[in-house]
Amino acid sequence: MKPKLVLSAGTSWSGTTPLYYTFAVNHKLCHGGHEKEHGYLHLLDLTEQNKTIDKIKFYSKFFRPKWLDNPDGSGRKGPGRKHPLVNQHSPLVKGLWTQEELKKHYTSPFSIEKYISYYKKHWSHIKHEYKAVADFSNPNSNLSDQFLQKYAPILKEHFDITVVMIFRDPIRRFWSVINARRPDNIEKLFFEWSPDICYSTLYKKWKKHFNVKIIVMEEFWDGKPNELMGYLIDNIYPNAYVPDLGINAPHISYLNDQWESDIEVLTPEIIERAKVVFAPIYKKWYDTFGYIPQSWTHNEKTLGMDCR
């Protein structure tokens, strides 16, 4: 029987970390290995597209695991930011891999064979305690359709794959994305760049190749039980974005990235302007899924739709 692989395709700033903690810590459903996300597939995609500059930037700023050279260090983002059960200090990985093995997997040349080999070895360590391995790399959302066409069949030969995609209210999500960049003028950049992701387009790209489970962040944290791969998910890790308190988000353990993201208030005036810019994103969501979450900024009524 093939190992199960839970493959997250984003989206960033939508609660992917507390979602991962829900699966990996609270339910022991899946485990990612040395870290929640590494972006290996995105790095391989950039390599095959010969995007050398993008590859170098991504490798140096996101991918390169600092614990390769400092295995006793606290990790890329400092102490207290990664749950101890799902980072490089976890007993599920610490001491079970040699530095030579890690360097083989995490250094050039990058290949799909190395990716598969890593997760198969990790599965051999956790299969008596967990149901699946996991890759919760947000950069997976950027994988090109050509890459998925080429490698989805290969990955499915080795793993039983479930793709998870979590989506947050588009306006509030992108406000967090821009805030986290710490530009001089957050509001200006917010409107210059928005919107950055069309959820329905992203979903359709992945749906062509995999079994995809859609999660609306606000609905997942509404207190009702959920499921993944047939397993009941009823013990949800807290999420600093639900309810959305902006700059007053609670300081939940191991979710520093969430409660440190927003530094300026998303005012009603900005929201009203954003509704115009983001309207196509909400409309495409409705066209794809047949409804708009009630907790989102836009709904069928504000978009002028007759949904009777």
Side-chain angles (χ1 to χ4, degrees):
M1 183 179 296
K2 293 183 289 188
K4 296 181 184 297
L5 168 63
V6 179
L7 186 61
S8 172
T11 54
S12 60
W13 308 110
S14 299
T16 57
T17 300
L19 181 68
Y20 177 56
Y21 291 165
T22 295
F23 295 156
V25 177
N26 289 15
H27 290 86
K28 291 190 174 182
L29 182 60
C30 58
H31 194 286
H34 287 81
E35 53 190 338
K36 167 193 175 241
E37 54 184 324
H38 42 67
Y40 194 99
L41 294 179
H42 182 55
L43 186 65
L44 180 57
D45 193 9
L46 293 175
T47 301
E48 297 201 347
Q49 293 186 64
N50 293 317
K51 294 184 176 180
T52 305
I53 295 178
D54 291 338
K55 173 186 172 182
I56 293 173
K57 289 181 178 178
F58 182 77
Y59 181 86
S60 60
K61 293 183 179 181
F62 185 95
F63 175 79
R64 178 66 175 171
K66 297 298 185 290
W67 38 265
L68 280 180
D69 301 316
N70 183 18
D72 295 322
S74 57
R76 181 172 64 91
K77 292 186 177 180
R81 293 192 180 233
K82 294 181 179 180
H83 198 287
L85 294 181
V86 287
N87 65 21
Q88 67 270 26
H89 301 300
S90 166
L92 293 172
V93 293
K94 188 176 182 181
L96 300 177
W97 297 73
T98 67
Q99 286 300 99
E100 290 72 22
E101 286 177 316
L102 290 176
K103 288 183 178 180
K104 172 186 174 183
H105 283 284
Y106 277 96
T107 55
S108 182
F110 305 103
S111 69
I112 199 67
E113 289 78 17
K114 283 186 179 181
Y115 181 89
I116 293 169
S117 176
Y118 176 87
Y119 282 109
K120 283 192 172 182
K121 180 176 175 61
H122 181 47
W123 173 243
S124 71
H125 295 154
I126 70 170
K127 62 183 179 181
H128 299 298
E129 189 174 356
Y130 286 76
K131 303 295 189 297
V133 292
D135 175 359
F136 263 68
S137 301
N138 284 328
N140 287 338
S141 63
N142 297 321
L143 295 179
S144 65
D145 191 53
Q146 299 95 309
F147 183 89
L148 293 176
Q149 288 179 15
K150 178 178 180 180
Y151 287 118
I154 297 174
L155 289 172
K156 287 190 286 190
E157 286 181 9
H158 295 272
F159 301 101
D160 179 3
I161 300 174
T162 296
V163 170
V164 172
M165 308 185 79
I166 184 168
F167 300 115
R168 178 187 177 194
D169 176 50
I171 290 175
R172 295 188 181 278
R173 173 197 165 270
F174 195 59
W175 184 253
S176 294
V177 170
I178 297 301
N179 269 255
R181 288 181 170 269
R182 302 294 192 264
D184 293 333
N185 190 323
I186 290 175
E187 183 177 344
K188 180 175 182 291
L189 190 62
F190 176 77
F191 285 105
E192 284 181 350
W193 281 20
S194 61
D196 69 329
I197 290 179
C198 176
Y199 292 163
S200 60
T201 300
L202 186 60
Y203 165 75
K204 290 176 181 177
K205 177 178 69 174
W206 281 85
K207 186 63 177 177
K208 289 189 298 183
H209 307 285
F210 294 103
N211 172 39
V212 178
K213 178 177 177 57
I214 292 297
I215 296 175
V216 173
M217 185 193 76
E218 295 84 354
E219 293 177 346
F220 190 85
W221 269 270
D222 66 2
K224 299 176 184 177
N226 294 271
E227 66 83 26
L228 182 70
M229 301 186 306
Y231 296 99
L232 179 67
I233 308 297
D234 57 359
N235 182 12
I236 311 300
Y237 197 89
N239 185 343
Y241 288 150
V242 182
D244 196 317
L245 300 178
I247 63 173
N248 297 311
H251 290 198
I252 300 171
S253 298
Y254 312 116
L255 295 181
N256 305 54
D257 287 356
Q258 284 194 324
W259 48 261
E260 290 178 352
S261 65
D262 291 18
I263 58 174
E264 290 190 10
V265 175
L266 179 59
T267 65
E269 292 75 19
I270 294 175
I271 289 176
E272 288 307 309
R273 288 178 59 199
K275 282 182 177 180
V276 177
V277 178
F278 280 79
I281 302 299
Y282 291 89
K283 288 179 179 177
K284 288 180 180 178
W285 174 279
Y286 179 82
D287 290 341
T288 301
F289 301 106
Y291 85 112
I292 297 176
Q294 293 182 356
S295 58
W296 284 8
T297 305
H298 253 317
N299 54 46
E300 291 93 334
K301 184 177 180 179
T302 60
L303 287 169
M305 296 177 176
D306 184 1
C307 301
R308 293 174 293 177

